Structure formats: structure tokens, C-alpha cells
DNA sequence: AACCTACAGATAATCGATTATTTTCGGTAG
DNA sequence: CTACCGAAAATAATCGATTATCTGTAGGTT
């Protein structure tokens, strides 16, 4: 693995984990020193973050963690609520047996992954977050459109970042029941119901952060 | 303006203009020499292209123009046909007087821009392409959601690239009538009709390249 | 007291050269 | 004739240093 890969992965994880507050300057020199690499490598990693929307570039003034917050999170959720239900309709129309199997598998993994790392934790575990992402992505993979999936990935990543700097999630919410309902509707080939449930699920998640 | 800005803009224009065939290697050393800058600058420009999806990165094997074609163009059109009608509904519901004025203005500009640079040209003029983009973007701007607009920008750019390497457009098509119909429906606040017309417009454009 | 200006420190942008990896091209054995 | 191997060339990755630009502050002016 190249040095810039390592620095990039490390930085990306740190930003998504919320180790830097929004608008925090990301200084190439400091990052280079910390990781024991040269400036060029640190710059390259930062450029890649910018491409992914995980860093802002201020010309002549360096890089910074993007300013996010509840408002942007709402916009991301709304964008998802436009795209994903429509994509799910396509997936329901086109998905084959392999897709059905993948949906079942990813939901099973999600349902079997504990919400919290340890009882009393304030934030969901990385494992659950990843299983959650995989479930939602698998649902859409049936549409067979790579561009749609790239768009999903982008919005999901942006959402992960913005969510960190919004309020904590509503713990009382029974997300699993919603996931199960979406899965059943999709596999029953009920496009309208599946799309509607997914739309509500996305907006419901967003609403639980608004308060 | 910084050197990397210049190289980046120049490269971006060249790629979008189709000066490099798909899968053409983009060699940092060559670009640096050609533009009279150092390797680091050329690399930075390429990294930015990658972030925008206008270049592919093959680890340890450099950069290349993304492999595109009719198939990818169809996928992009389909992705747009999922997102944009839904966004237009929002815009119709939320757009204010300023939005209405902007829509009228951008359509007027589009209608007044000649399709071809000179009679007999094989491809539409840059001016028309830009006016076309502005019209479609303005339609969606009424939704007031920056994330949706970023997604639109991304898909449009990707479409510009892929379209170059697809077949030529159907010249007999009367695109202006479709644009006018969409504008009228949107300003009449007929969300369903506007969304339907936009969806057909996108898919129609895609279909005209399939043959 | 408020505002401009020059200086100093910090930091971004750029460069030229070095190192590591991949690809290519002969050459040789099977 | 084909397949494998190794040296040479090409090129990607990385480095350390230099130059240009910005930011904040101290000092002077209105």
C-alpha cells in the first residue's frame, strides 16, 4: 500500500469519526509530520478528501473540515428521499434471484449486529453502521445502474459526516422494524409500498435529529 | 490564479471536449512538460479531475480518461430520470417569484441561442450546451436543496463526458418544444405534468442516442 | 479612539531531484 | 515456435527545500 493511501485512509476515518470539529484547518505540514511523510503525500490525501466532499478547499488558505450541521443533514436526507425510493422501484422491477438473496443476507446481518458496542454507549457501533449502509445499498443494487449506486455512496458518505455534528439519534426508535418492512415489501415485489416505506424511513431518521 | 488552477481548467476542458480517447493514459510528466510546470502541479490537477469523475486512477499505474460509452450514458440518463423529476416537484412546490423569473430568463436565453455555431456543424455550440445546462439547473434550483443541486451538477458533467463518446444526437428532434412545455408546466405549478415531461425529456434524449 | 500600514511569522504553492515500481524488450531454454 | 526469465527503460511515488502569499500584530496617523 502506498504512503498516500495510508494517510488518506487515516484522515478519512478521523474526519468521519468526528475527531476534528467543523471548520478545523487541516494543515498539510502538520499531517505530514504526524504521519512521517512528505508534504506532497499529505497534499494528495487532502485532495482526495476534497474530491469526496469530506474536506473543503479554500484557495490560498489551505484545507478544512467542511462546515456541516443539522441543516445540511436535512438536505442530504431530502436528496436521498428523492433518489432512493425511485431507485428501489427499479430494483424491485429488475432484481433477480441473486439480488433477493443478497437483500435477505444483508438484512439478516443487520438484524444480528448489536446496536451498541457495549450497553450504555452513546453512539452506534461501527459494525452496525456498516451493516446499515450495506443493507440500504444492497436494496438499490438490484436496479443494476452503477451511476445510481455511485450517487448513493456519495450521499451516504456525506450523511455520515453531517450526522456527526447533528444531535444524537432518537434511541427509542425501532429502526429494525422499518428495515424489515422495507425488505418484505421489496421481496414481495410491491414497488409502491417499498418505495413509500423507504421514503418514510429516510425522512423519519432525519426528523429524529431535528428536535 | 495558481498554476494548478490553470492546468486543471485546461485539462478539464480538453477531456470534456473529447481531445483524448477513453482509456488514454494521462501522464503527469508529459502534462507537466507541456504546460511548463512541475510534476506536483500536474499531479494535483489530475487528482482534482479524479474527484470530479473526469479521470480514473489506477493505483501504481497512473491516471487515464475514464472508459465511457453509450451504455454509461444510458445509466446516467436513467439516474437523472429518477432524481430530477422528483426535484422538480419540490421546486414547483417551493419556488418563489425569483425562481419563476430565473426560469423564464434561462429559457429565453436557451431559445435565443443558436443550436449550431455555423450552419452545417455536426455538433451543438458550446454556448447552446451551456444555456441548456443552465435551463435545466435553474428549473431545479427552486427546490432550495444544495445537495440536490450538487448531485445534478455531478450527473450533468458525467453526462457531458459520456455523451462525447456516444453516437451523434438526433438532429430532427425538436428539443425546444419540450423545454417550453416543461417551463410552462412548472410555472403553472402543475407538478405532476412538469415532472412527467422532464422525465420523458431526459429519456427521450437518451433514446435518441441509443440507435 | 478608530483606522491604515509595515513588519514578522506562518503556511500554501511550487520546484527539481531521488527512489521504487511497473512495463517492455531481448535472449534463452524447452 | 512458444514460454519463461532478467535487464533496461519508462513512469509513478516520494522527498526536502525554495518561493509566493496570507494573517495577525505592532506602531504610527487622522
Amino acid at each position: 500500500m502506498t504512503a498516500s493511501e495510508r494517510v488518506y485512509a487515516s484522515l478519512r476515518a478521523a474526519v468521519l469519526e468526528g475527531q476534528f470539529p467543523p471548520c478545523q484547518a487541516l494543515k498539510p505540514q502538520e499531517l505530514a509530520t504526524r504521519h512521517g511523510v512528505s508534504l506532497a503525500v499529505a497534499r494528495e490525501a487532502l485532495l482526495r478528501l476534497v474530491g469526496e466532499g469530506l474536506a473543503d478547499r479554500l484557495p490560498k488558505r489551505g484545507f478544512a473540515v467542511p462546515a456541516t450541521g443539522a441543516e445540511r443533514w436535512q438536505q442530504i436526507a431530502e436528496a436521498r428521499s428523492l433518489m432512493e425510493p425511485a431507485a428501489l422501484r427499479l430494483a424491485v422491477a429488475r432484481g433477480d434471484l441473486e439480488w433477493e438473496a443478497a437483500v435477505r443476507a444483508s438484512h439478516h446481518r443487520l438484524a444480528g449486529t448489536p446496536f451498541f458496542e457495549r450497553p450504555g454507549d452513546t453512539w452506534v457501533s461501527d459494525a452496525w453502521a456498516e451493516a446499515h449502509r450495506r443493507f440500504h445499498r444492497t436494496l438499490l443494487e438490484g436496479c443494476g445502474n452503477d451511476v445510481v449506486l455511485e450517487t448513493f455512496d456519495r450521499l451516504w458518505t456525506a450523511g455520515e459526516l453531517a450526522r456527526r455534528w447533528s444531535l444524537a439519534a432518537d434511541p427509542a426508535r425501532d429502526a429494525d422494524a422499518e428495515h424489515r418492512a422495507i425488505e418484505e415489501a421489496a421481496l414481495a415485489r410491491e414497488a409502491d409500498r417499498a418505495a413509500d416505506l423507504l421514503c418514510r424511513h429516510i425522512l423519519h431518521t432525519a426528523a429524529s435529529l431535528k428536535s
Side-chain angles (χ1 to χ4, degrees), chain A residues 8 12 16 47-55 153-154 157-158:
Chain A
Y8 163 73
R12 184 192 146 99
L16 280 177
L47 257 330
R48 290 174 68 176
L49 264 313
V50 171
E52 249 187 314
L54 291 178
D153 290 341
R154 198 172 180 77
T157 300

Side-chain angles (χ1 to χ4, degrees), chain A residues 38-132:
Chain A
S38 77
L39 276 180
V41 174
R43 273 181 81 78
E44 171 166 335
L46 286 167
L47 257 330
R48 290 174 68 176
L49 264 313
V50 171
E52 249 187 314
L54 291 178
D56 275 351
R57 178 165 207 198
L58 317 166
K60 298 280 188 187
R61 245 186 280 176
F63 303 88
V65 178
T68 61
E71 180 196 344
R72 183 165 173 87
W73 204 89
Q74 297 300 322
Q75 292 194 334
I76 292 166
E78 184 175 87
R80 288 184 54 204
S81 78
L82 299 183
M83 168 69 91
E84 293 186 29
L88 183 54
R89 282 175 201 273
L90 272 191
V92 166
R94 295 179 182 167
D96 57 8
L97 185 61
E98 271 311 303
W99 172 68
E100 292 181 0
V103 168
R104 281 236 184 278
S106 65
H107 180 263
H108 188 79
R109 262 183 239 112
L110 175 60
T113 304
F115 218 76
F116 300 109
E117 200 105 31
R118 280 156 303 204
D121 271 4
T122 178
W123 194 257
V124 301
S125 66
D126 286 350
W128 189 86
E130 175 60 10
H132 189 208

